[in-house]
Amino acid sequence: MEDRPRQSKKRKRDKHRKSEKKKENSSQLNVTHQPNQASSALPNPTKSKGSTFLDKMRARLSGGHFRMINEKLYTCSGKDALDYFKEDPALFDVYHTGYQEQMSHWPELPINIIMKWLKDHSPSLVVADFGCGDARLAKNVKNKVFSFDLVSNDPSVIACDMSKTPLDSSVIDVAVFCLSLMGTNYPNYLKEAHRILKPSGWLLIAEVKSRLDPNNGGADPKKFLKAVSELGFTSVLKDYSNKMFVLLYFKKKDKQKSEMKEIEWPELKPCLYKRR
Ligand code: SAH
């Protein structure tokens, strides 16, 4: 009788040791397990739940990264933006993945409207796409298109700050800015477009509606139109019909006034995308 409790104590101790050993092994497994090793080696009933969670976390992180880069581009000059991407060109891909995600929620894309406009005009018009992104415009029209962006992931894209393109003066027929008036020095981009456009050449601007909506903290579109006109353009058409963006069509004036007065450009506020 007397032994029994002792024996039982020993058994308990052994049992305890065994279970500790087991815990040790399993915690080692946890540390060394790579998620896909675990999923391939073991039947994992929570696998789909786990990967959905991970996917969500990844999407949230890259969404946050996109919004950070987006804000940076709207609050610095074109030159600083060029240096920013030169230092880490991978950020450009992060930006464009996030940008495409945002665009996938827009009922209509302004670049498609511009594409249609070009298809309704002569294919012989030479185009400059300022801030071309993935160069979708060049890939989808018959026209000769010079595509400019801060980073070139495609041989057809010329990497530059678009306030200084490598083109000669008066060589293009259509200048396109599709959601690309981002830098704090955006007037310099329009001045550059004016320089490379032929007389009577077209200037097409698509911008996020809220940036030109004074009721939403945006600039007064009249002030913007006045400034563009003083730069040397005539406003031909204003299309406010879309919920997300405005489309402005101008033509370069044939003759420039010899005396250039100081143009008052309205500030264009950053377009900050919401967390989805
Ligand atoms: N026009 C494309 C992409 C719009 S996103 C479309 O509609 O799908 C805006 C683009 O403008 C980005 O790719 C950004 O890199 C480019 N951009 C902004 N500032 C620029 C600058 N100073 N020079 C060249 N590209 C610029």
Side-chain angles (χ1 to χ4, degrees):
M1 279 287 283
E2 257 192 60
D3 276 344
R4 278 188 80 181
R6 241 181 271 145
Q7 259 184 3
S8 132
K9 256 190 192 165
K10 186 178 179 292
R11 236 185 264 142
K12 262 190 192 160
R13 238 184 284 129
D14 286 352
K15 219 172 163 187
H16 180 72
R17 269 195 210 126
K18 264 186 200 159
S19 97
E20 282 301 298
K21 189 87 184 162
K22 219 174 174 180
K23 265 192 211 160
E24 228 174 84
N25 283 343
S26 73
S27 71
Q28 272 171 12
L29 270 182
N30 280 346
V31 172
T32 53
H33 259 186
Q34 296 299 313
N36 19 0
Q37 278 176 352
S39 58
S40 60
L42 303 164
N44 184 355
T46 59
K47 184 186 157 194
S48 64
K49 213 173 158 192
S51 68
T52 310
F53 175 73
L54 271 181
D55 289 348
K56 269 191 197 153
M57 291 309 285
R58 271 192 207 109
R60 191 171 282 184
L61 272 177
S62 66
H65 206 172
F66 158 71
R67 284 191 299 279
M68 193 197 84
I69 301 166
N70 182 61
E71 187 167 350
K72 164 80 187 165
L73 295 180
Y74 275 115
T75 51
C76 74
S77 68
K79 187 191 169 299
D80 286 350
L82 187 68
D83 292 344
Y84 180 67
F85 283 135
K86 258 189 196 157
E87 226 166 81
D88 190 353
L91 293 180
F92 191 73
D93 298 334
V94 176
Y95 174 76
H96 272 282
T97 305
Y99 176 79
Q100 296 305 338
E101 211 287 313
Q102 289 291 333
M103 287 298 120
S104 69
H105 300 280
W106 284 31
E108 190 157 30
L109 297 184
I111 198 69
N112 289 343
I113 299 184
I114 292 171
M115 231 177 257
K116 183 169 179 317
W117 186 93
L118 282 172
K119 284 177 183 168
D120 290 343
H121 289 75
S122 166
S124 66
L125 296 179
V126 180
V127 181
D129 187 6
F130 286 79
C132 63
D134 57 6
R136 185 193 286 221
L137 189 63
K139 287 174 191 153
N140 286 284
V141 295
K142 292 196 180 119
N143 309 59
K144 162 87 191 140
V145 180
F146 292 97
S147 303
F148 303 114
D149 210 302
L150 295 161
V151 173
S152 168
N153 284 335
D154 186 298
S156 70
V157 176
I158 300 167
C160 64
D161 166 17
M162 61 191 174
S163 63
K164 287 188 189 77
T165 73
L167 298 193
D168 288 339
S169 300
S170 308
V171 290
I172 60 158
D173 301 291
V174 187
V176 173
F177 289 88
C178 189
L179 308 181
S180 56
L181 292 178
M182 298 184 89
T184 48
N185 61 329
Y186 80 85
N188 294 349
Y189 309 152
L190 296 174
K191 280 178 202 158
E192 178 65 356
H194 186 270
R195 182 186 73 78
I196 66 174
L197 269 171
K198 294 175 190 167
S200 298
W202 288 93
L203 168 66
L204 273 45
I205 301 178
E207 253 319 319
V208 178
K209 205 163 199 171
S210 58
R211 300 188 82 200
L212 288 165
D213 177 2
N215 299 323
N216 241 323
D220 182 348
K222 284 195 206 103
K223 283 190 183 154
F224 181 74
L225 288 163
K226 185 167 178 272
V228 177
S229 137
E230 283 174 5
L231 179 60
F233 291 97
T234 308
S235 167
V236 177
L237 183 70
K238 298 171 283 233
D239 181 355
Y240 290 91
S241 64
N242 196 280
K243 225 177 85 183
M244 310 299 275
F245 54 85
V246 295
L247 262 162
L248 306 171
Y249 301 77
F250 302 88
K251 279 197 111 175
K252 180 174 168 176
K253 289 175 188 161
D254 285 346
K255 281 201 188 98
Q256 191 64 37
K257 275 189 211 150
S258 50
E259 179 218 333
M260 280 282 277
K261 66 170 190 174
E262 186 72 33
I263 301 174
E264 261 186 55
W265 292 96
E267 185 196 344
L268 291 183
K269 292 255 162 34
C271 163
L272 303 178
Y273 294 93
K274 285 192 199 113
R275 218 178 98 166
R276 288 186 186 273

